[in-house]
Amino acid sequence: MRTVKLIDTTLRDGSHAMNYQYTPEHVYNICKALDEAGVYAVDVGHGAGVGGSVLQYGLSKHSDEELLSAAAEALKNAKLCVLLVPGLGTMEDLKVAYKHGARMVRVAVHCTEVDVGAQHIRLGKELGMEVAAFHMMTHMTTPEALAEQAEMAASYGADIIYIADSSGAMLPYDIEARVRAVQRAVPHLPIGVHCHNNLGLGIANPLAAVDAGAEFVDGALEGWGAGCGNTSTQNIAAVLEKAGITTGADWYKLAEAGQKYVRPLINRPLEVTNEALVLGMTGIYSSFYQRVLAASEKSGVPARAIFEELGKRKVVGGQEDVILDVVLELQEKAKQQ
Amino acid sequence: MGKRIKVGIIGPGNIGTDLMYKVMRSPLLEMSVMIGIDPSSAGLKRAAGLGITTSSDGIEFLVQNPDMAEIVFDATTARAHAQVNAPTLERLGKIAIDLTPAAVGKIATPMVNMKDCLNEKNVNLITCGGQATTPIVYAINRVVPLEYAEVVTTVASDSAGPGTRANIDEYTQTTAKALRLLGGAERAKVMTIFNPAKPQMAMRNTIFGIPKHRDFKIEDVRASVEEMAAQIRTYVPGYELTVAPVIDRDVITTTVTVEGQGDFLPKYAGNLDIETASAVKMAEMFAEKLLRERGELA
């Protein structure tokens, strides 16, 4: 029987949706429930990873150290995982995370820029951590170019190649093509996928990826997360069980954990809203979602116009500062007409 | 034409070649020698084709021909600068302008602290992000002290060389240090993004500042920053304030885009242009002082 490992990112990707306000108490309770439900690893921290508390995104209410310590205390079997975005998080931040119990790191790079993460991947290995090269926004590159990046990541020592659909912009056969291309390039490394639900494909996409051979799948309880959310952990756990694939997790315990600890935190609709469709169609990084909606409300510029202009400018993850320019420019244009 | 100061460049790569074209335009500098270590280097050939003396003997050329340059740009690597070039140039009594991340000498930027560095023998260019953003932090900080400064720099992937990519943490830390030491912010953080979009985007920098108090007018901050930008434009013509300082919930936000002059490097590579243009500006400031001391300033 095939097995797939689940990594829950409620406490990291969900941090974007929480405006970075998770408390050590949230972290402890959710980690304990996820651990008991049997996920492989739990991803914890600011949405932008270790060292990610910056004005560009929003400041964390609690430090990496506080949140990771609470997680480490709660986890008995599941691995404590962190994200590190080179250019923002540093090797020093990774050492601090390790000291506070992190044993897995995902070095997150834009899909064409993995060489920026070489030193962080190597450090993760030196520390004895399980290291994934986490390629973001993979809809912006071809399967062949992604496969080349995977080969580079492998040469730095990565244990896992992650393919992220950070905009929730891909269709099942897009992600399948990327999984197959990466598999051909680095057949010795397992592949993971991280998907967003902006086009309503948050379950279909990882399922297609698993069919193509992916061995790690990300989810978040209740589908919480940036944009209109991630793959729902309890949902994908149930679907994989039905497909005869072992995850080691109890989908019903996950559902209960989501109901008890995450549902009360959710302060906005998680269905596929019209704005989420625009996000997926324009291929914008999911953490832009709430920022654009807020900027739209404040300025009166329609969210769709902002997203479309951002799409034209081909912004990548982390470029939230462009929202202000776009809004000022669109306001100026509106005045002239 | 007035007297000029002889300049040498070590490292005939893209940066060294772009520097060469800028030096050739300067009224205060004479493009005297281009030095490399590989006789077949395209950069050395290009320089020779322009009638400039070239050598593939490395720094040894200057040891043998010390009169060929008073000011020397080092566009090689941090290791070569720290281990070989810096100590040799010091022994020869040359002024070294270091474009590598070695930071052997004082870190400097023309419009903030260069005037205080004119007695130094070795100055370092910080980083491209540091050249673009330290002056803005400084300009804000002279109106209202900043408790925190944050810089988000986005550059075209094609303009980021393998050295920067392989050492992104050092780049980040050096830039943050300059925001504190030269800019004056109490704490600083730097974020760097590489964007592979085609056509390539110009360098973009967003500077966030958290002021220590609210007893200031944003108009004064704006005036200070606009004055600084105008001064930088005298040597980096493509330096534009895309978002003049605005304040929202106690955070001052400013955005600067930098387009290059396209001397040798492509125009979108404003990040590299601001390095070479700042280095030449610093050389001119040294040259002006030397010529003045000698009573040779036309």
Side-chain angles (χ1 to χ4, degrees), chain A residues 289-302:
Chain A
Y289 182 67
Q290 280 166 292
R291 295 285 289 275
V292 168
L293 296 189
S296 167
E297 188 157 332
K298 197 173 161 197
S299 65
V301 179

Side-chain angles (χ1 to χ4, degrees), chain B residues 103 107 126 134 172-183 188 190:
Chain B
I107 56 170
I126 323 173
T134 305
T172 300
Q173 279 148 4
T174 306
T175 310
K177 187 175 129 193
L179 299 178
R180 291 193 307 272
L181 294 184
L182 305 186
V190 171

Side-chain angles (χ1 to χ4, degrees), chain A residues 28-58:
Chain A
Y28 181 85
N29 288 333
I30 293 171
C31 279
K32 195 160 186 293
L34 285 167
D35 192 71
E36 285 167 2
V39 298
Y40 177 75
V42 183
D43 189 20
V44 176
H46 187 281
V50 289
S53 179
V54 286
L55 295 168
Q56 174 79 341
Y57 290 104

Side-chain angles (χ1 to χ4, degrees), chain A residues 8 14 20 47 70 77 88 97 148 170 177 180 193 199 261 324 331:
Chain A
D8 185 275
Y20 320 106
N77 299 305
L88 177 59
E148 280 172 29
M170 285 203 271
R180 291 198 194 282
V193 293
L199 294 178
Y261 296 115
L324 177 63
Q331 272 179 322

Side-chain angles (χ1 to χ4, degrees), chain A residues 55 91 113 120 314 321 325, chain B residues 150 157 169 198 204 206:
Chain A
L55 295 168
M91 293 190 279
E113 312 294 317
H120 311 86
K314 298 183 185 161
D321 58 308
D325 292 31
Chain B
E150 179 178 309
S157 295
D169 274 26
K198 299 276 167 70
R204 174 191 166 84
T206 294

Side-chain angles (χ1 to χ4, degrees), chain A:
Chain A
M1 203 183 214
R2 271 193 66 196
T3 61
V4 161
K5 291 170 176 163
L6 292 179
I7 299 185
D8 185 275
T9 187
T10 311
L11 292 166
R12 202 276 305 161
D13 206 315
S15 161
H16 286 301
M18 280 288 287
N19 204 16
Y20 320 106
Q21 300 298 298
Y22 276 129
T23 64
E25 193 190 350
H26 293 138
V27 170
Y28 181 85
N29 288 333
I30 293 171
C31 279
K32 195 160 186 293
L34 285 167
D35 192 71
E36 285 167 2
V39 298
Y40 177 75
V42 183
D43 189 20
V44 176
H46 187 281
V50 289
S53 179
V54 286
L55 295 168
Q56 174 79 341
Y57 290 104
L59 300 178
S60 289
K61 186 169 183 181
H62 292 273
S63 68
D64 291 345
E65 291 93 319
E66 288 173 276
L67 299 178
L68 291 173
S69 299
E73 202 190 323
L75 297 178
K76 301 274 178 288
N77 299 305
K79 264 192 177 175
L80 179 52
C81 175
V82 291
L83 188 86
L84 185 152
V85 181
L88 177 59
T90 62
M91 293 190 279
E92 210 40 58
D93 293 322
L94 183 57
K95 286 179 193 160
V96 169
Y98 179 83
K99 206 176 118 195
H100 288 84
R103 291 295 177 267
M104 182 176 196
V105 58
R106 303 199 284 184
V107 177
V109 293
H110 185 73
C111 55
T112 52
E113 312 294 317
V114 74
D115 53 351
V116 176
Q119 58 183 178
H120 311 86
I121 292 173
R122 290 194 184 107
L123 174 65
K125 289 316 298 172
E126 274 166 39
L127 291 170
M129 300 174 89
E130 187 170 21
V131 180
F134 191 93
H135 301 267
M136 301 187 285
M137 303 286 276
T138 51
H139 71 286
M140 289 179 93
T141 191
T142 62
E144 295 71 30
L146 183 64
E148 280 172 29
Q149 294 279 309
E151 279 174 9
M152 288 164 72
S155 77
Y156 308 144
D159 301 305
I160 307 164
I161 304 296
Y162 245 85
I163 302 171
D165 180 14
S166 317
S167 305
M170 285 203 271
L171 302 180
Y173 58 75
D174 294 323
I175 199 151
E176 191 192 316
R178 283 161 179 75
V179 170
R180 291 198 194 282
V182 169
Q183 219 165 30
R184 275 194 297 273
V186 287
H188 58 296
L189 293 187
I191 295 167
V193 293
H194 171 102
C195 298
H196 283 266
N197 198 38
N198 302 331
L199 294 178
L201 295 169
I203 297 298
N205 281 344
L207 192 59
V210 167
D211 268 343
E215 294 173 62
F216 285 82
V217 169
D218 273 23
L221 292 171
E222 304 291 305
W224 197 213
C228 96
N230 287 97
T231 296
S232 152
T233 309
Q234 64 256 48
N235 194 338
I236 193 71
V239 166
L240 289 173
E241 183 179 311
K242 188 149 195 177
I245 291 164
T246 308
T247 63
D250 178 331
W251 72 267
Y252 200 76
K253 277 189 182 166
L254 290 168
E256 285 177 330
Q259 180 76 26
K260 185 166 175 191
Y261 296 115
V262 180
R263 186 57 57 176
L265 302 174
I266 296 177
N267 53 9
R268 61 186 170 86
L270 264 186
E271 81 245 25
V272 180
T273 60
N274 292 344
E275 290 80 8
L277 289 175
V278 176
L279 186 67
M281 293 301 282
T282 49
I284 307 293
Y285 197 85
S286 292
S287 62
F288 279 64
Y289 182 67
Q290 280 166 292
R291 295 285 289 275
V292 168
L293 296 189
S296 167
E297 188 157 332
K298 197 173 161 197
S299 65
V301 179
R304 180 175 174 178
I306 303 173
F307 279 125
E308 283 175 351
E309 181 58 29
L310 289 167
K312 273 185 212 152
R313 297 191 187 192
K314 298 183 185 161
V315 292
V316 302
Q319 282 193 269
E320 266 88 340
D321 58 308
V322 183
I323 298 170
L324 177 63
D325 292 31
V326 167
V327 168
L328 293 175
E329 202 181 292
L330 292 176
Q331 272 179 322
E332 199 55 41
K333 262 192 199 158
K335 257 190 242 162
Q336 284 166 3
Q337 279 165 5

